[in-house]
């Protein structure tokens, strides 16, 4: 076992883990933060996307020991109390989800995009979401949700 | 999916990593960003007893230019290579190709050294390395050696990296020549079903193929036709002398056609930038 400390959604979490523990399992099973999903489990679908030190990564393809000493933000860290993050509100408003399985990953990728590019073009949004697969809605409303969130955040 | 159990070693310096490699030998694998290695470990295609993590070795991800050579640390992430002002100005083909790898999240974790050492025959970077005439710096306990891309990629998942050696940096000759990368990505994985990288020279140019053959390779017949002044028609020679892989993605004839089509696209784009 290896002792690691990861700051998750602002709170330092210290645990003993097997080195082979994947970050997504650390989040879901050790910390019970089950908003981060395991979809394909092969680095393709993006349902497991979280931020590691400010960048969107696929947590099914990162060892928890690699994130030791780092800062992770998950979908649970996006809302402020009862107030949804503008991206969460926009996905609801624009019908950017159907079953919702891909949504946490979509939002984390989109948040990374908007942090770097606050007013993205449609092509930039589609490029940023290239590693996030949705199997029910198609992408039209997801793109619209990101555009809506960008407008909301520009006003804030 | 969990990888098989392994002992985890966090290297604190290049020499520490080399010591660990010497100690554990063939039972060890080196972990860079993990985006080539961890997927194969999760599928149990690889089950190393020891993992040597380079993630905390200081000074392995810098990007600098001096004396006509751009040097990129092995631990530089694809996203950093793609957005680096130095790479974009001095080795634009490498920036373009790095920006085509996988998807944004993969580019945020995957590293240039990890991808090259893994040598997936469908990876993007090897085509850029060959077209750029770039080299890798391999560090051993007794010193370092520089190996050109033409010698480095030996076969499928096989490189010239020796036992006990670490790929520590990539060296790219500065060039402002017209270049282009044309790629047909696998829609799920983002790997190249076909990828062609081209860097034009004063006369002719270097043309490299990935995805379609057992290893990344230069297209000698296309380069000869280019040097002879064939222009975009040189793409007609893209299947000459290439042994194409037949697999679930298509027959050898289909792959040969992809080679010609994507060579033509890359060549047309590069010639338009001249």
């Amino acid at each position: 076992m290896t002792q690691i400390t990861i700051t998750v959604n602002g709170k330092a979490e210290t645990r003993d883990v097997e080195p082979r523990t994947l970050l997504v399992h650390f989040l879901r099973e050790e910390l019970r933060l089950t908003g981060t999903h395991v979809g394909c489990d092969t680095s393709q679908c993006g349902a497991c996307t979280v931020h590691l030190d400010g960048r969107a990564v696929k947590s099914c393809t990162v060892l928890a020991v690699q994130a030791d000493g780092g800062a992770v933000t998950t979908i649970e860290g996006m809302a402020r109390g009862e107030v949804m993050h503008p991206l969460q509100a926009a996905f609801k408003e624009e019908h950017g989800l159907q079953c919702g399985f891909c949504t946490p990953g979509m939002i984390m990728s989109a948040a990374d995009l908007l942090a770097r590019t606050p007013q993205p073009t449609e092509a930039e949004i589609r490029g940023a979401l290239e590693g996030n697969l949705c199997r029910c809605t198609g992408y039209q409303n997801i793109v619209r949700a990101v555009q809506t969130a960008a407008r909301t955040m520009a006003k804030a | 999916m969990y990888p098989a159990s392994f002992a985890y070693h966090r290297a604190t310096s290049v020499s520490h990593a080399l010591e660990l490699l010497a100690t554990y030998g063939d039972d060890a694998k080196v972990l860079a960003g993990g985006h080539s290695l961890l997927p194969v470990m999760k599928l149990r295609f690889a089950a190393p007893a020891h993992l040597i993590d380079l993630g905390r070795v200081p000074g392995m991800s810098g990007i600098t230019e001096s004396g006509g050579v751009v040097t990129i640390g092995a631990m530089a992430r694809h996203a950093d290579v793609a957005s680096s002002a130095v790479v974009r100005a001095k080795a634009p083909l490498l920036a373009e190709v790095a920006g085509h790898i996988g998807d944004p999240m993969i580019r945020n974790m995957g590293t240039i050294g990890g991808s090259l050492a893994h040598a997936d025959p469908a990876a993007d970077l090897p085509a850029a390395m060959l077209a750029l005439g770039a080299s890798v710096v391999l560090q051993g306990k007794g010193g370092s050696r520089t190996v050109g891309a033409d010698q480095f990629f030996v076969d499928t998942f096989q490189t010239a990296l020796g036992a006990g050696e670490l790929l520590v940096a990539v060296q790219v000759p500065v060039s402002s020549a017209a270049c282009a990368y044309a790629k047909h990505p696998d829609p799920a994985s983002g790997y190249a079903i076909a990828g062609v990288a081209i860097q034009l020279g004063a006369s002719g140019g270097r043309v490299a193929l990935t995805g379609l053959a057992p290893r990344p390779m230069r297209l000698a017949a296309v380069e000869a036709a280019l040097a002879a002044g064939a222009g975009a028609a040189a793409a007609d020679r893209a299947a000459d002398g290439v042994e194409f892989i037949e697999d679930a993605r298509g027959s050898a004839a289909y792959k040969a056609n992809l080679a010609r089509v994507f060579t033509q696209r890359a060549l047309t784009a590069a010639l338009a930038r001249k």
Side-chain angles (χ1 to χ4, degrees):
Chain A
M1 301 291 263
T2 303
Q3 189 179 80
I4 61 170
T5 300
I6 303 175
T7 301
V8 180
N9 299 330
K11 185 171 168 240
E13 303 279 5
T14 300
R15 296 285 192 287
D16 289 321
V17 298
E18 258 196 279
R20 63 173 171 162
T21 306
L22 298 165
L23 179 59
V24 69
H25 295 308
F26 177 79
L27 295 170
R28 289 178 56 86
E29 287 157 29
E30 281 291 330
L31 305 184
R32 296 286 167 192
L33 293 172
T34 54
T36 303
H37 293 161
V38 178
C40 70
D41 210 359
T42 53
S43 334
Q44 298 181 19
C45 80
C48 65
T49 302
V50 301
H51 294 182
L52 172 57
D53 296 328
R55 288 174 143 189
V57 302
K58 291 181 170 176
S59 64
C60 80
T61 313
V62 178
L63 297 170
V65 289
Q66 284 179 284
D68 183 22
V72 169
T73 305
T74 70
I75 188 70
E76 289 91 344
M78 297 300 278
R80 290 288 162 264
E82 294 299 305
V83 182
M84 284 192 284
H85 185 279
L87 273 164
Q88 293 172 304
F91 269 69
K92 174 170 177 262
E93 189 64 31
E94 301 289 354
H95 301 283
L97 65 145
Q98 190 169 313
C99 84
F101 194 87
C102 71
T103 312
M106 289 282 178
I107 287 179
M108 298 315 288
S109 290
D112 188 2
L113 167 71
L114 295 182
R116 275 160 235 288
T117 312
Q119 296 298 319
T121 63
E122 182 181 335
E124 285 171 327
I125 294 170
R126 289 183 185 273
L129 298 179
E130 204 168 290
N132 294 87
L133 305 183
C134 169
R135 300 185 78 175
C136 40
T137 70
Y139 299 89
Q140 202 58 41
N141 289 355
I142 292 171
V143 171
R144 201 169 289 141
V146 179
Q147 289 169 325
T148 297
R151 279 193 297 271
T152 310
M153 289 163 76
K155 282 184 219 147
Chain B
M1 294 182 289
Y2 279 80
S5 291
F6 54 84
Y8 175 74
H9 308 274
R10 186 174 288 161
T12 54
S13 64
V14 169
S15 58
H16 182 214
L18 289 171
E19 260 170 54
L20 290 164
L21 259 182
T23 304
Y24 300 112
D26 289 345
D27 292 335
K29 287 292 276 183
V30 175
L31 177 68
H35 275 47
S36 302
L37 181 58
L38 293 176
V40 297
M41 287 175 64
K42 287 170 68 181
L43 293 168
R44 307 286 174 115
F45 293 151
H50 298 271
L51 216 52
I52 302 166
D53 186 1
L54 300 182
R56 305 303 164 88
V57 175
M60 277 195 84
S61 56
I63 299 175
T64 56
E65 186 239 330
S66 119
V69 177
V70 177
T71 301
I72 302 163
M75 290 295 287
R77 314 273 178 190
H78 303 315
D80 294 332
V81 173
S83 65
S84 156
V86 172
V87 179
R88 290 168 75 101
K90 309 285 183 178
L93 178 63
L94 184 61
E96 181 176 347
V97 171
H100 274 89
I101 297 170
D103 58 51
M105 293 86 94
I106 286 169
R107 294 195 290 273
N108 281 341
M109 275 304 282
T111 66
I112 190 168
S115 174
L116 293 174
H118 186 69
D120 191 300
D124 299 282
L125 286 172
M129 295 288 289
L130 289 166
L132 285 160
S135 309
V136 291
V137 181
L138 309 181
Q139 177 86 42
K141 279 189 111 172
S144 72
R145 62 187 177 119
T146 302
V147 177
D150 286 325
Q151 286 76 47
F152 183 69
F153 301 106
V154 175
D155 207 339
T156 306
F157 297 113
Q158 285 180 35
T159 69
L161 199 55
E165 277 185 327
L166 207 55
L167 195 166
V168 292
V170 171
Q171 293 183 333
V172 187
V174 168
S175 169
S176 56
C179 59
Y181 184 54
K183 175 184 180 183
H184 179 40
D186 181 291
S189 72
Y191 272 103
I193 292 174
V196 177
I198 293 180
Q199 172 133 303
L200 297 176
S203 66
R206 298 168 71 100
V207 182
L209 175 79
T210 189
L212 295 170
R215 64 179 174 85
M217 58 190 295
R218 303 247 316 260
L219 295 177
V222 176
E223 292 184 4
L226 259 185
D236 295 346
R237 312 292 306 278
D240 293 11
V242 181
E243 178 203 335
F244 292 98
I245 314 169
E246 291 204 274
D247 60 15
R249 286 171 178 152
S251 63
Y254 172 70
K255 300 290 185 74
N257 192 54
L258 280 182
R260 285 187 290 265
V261 168
F262 281 83
T263 301
Q264 184 175 31
R265 287 182 189 179
L267 206 43
T268 304
L271 289 167
R273 291 172 185 174
K274 205 168 176 180

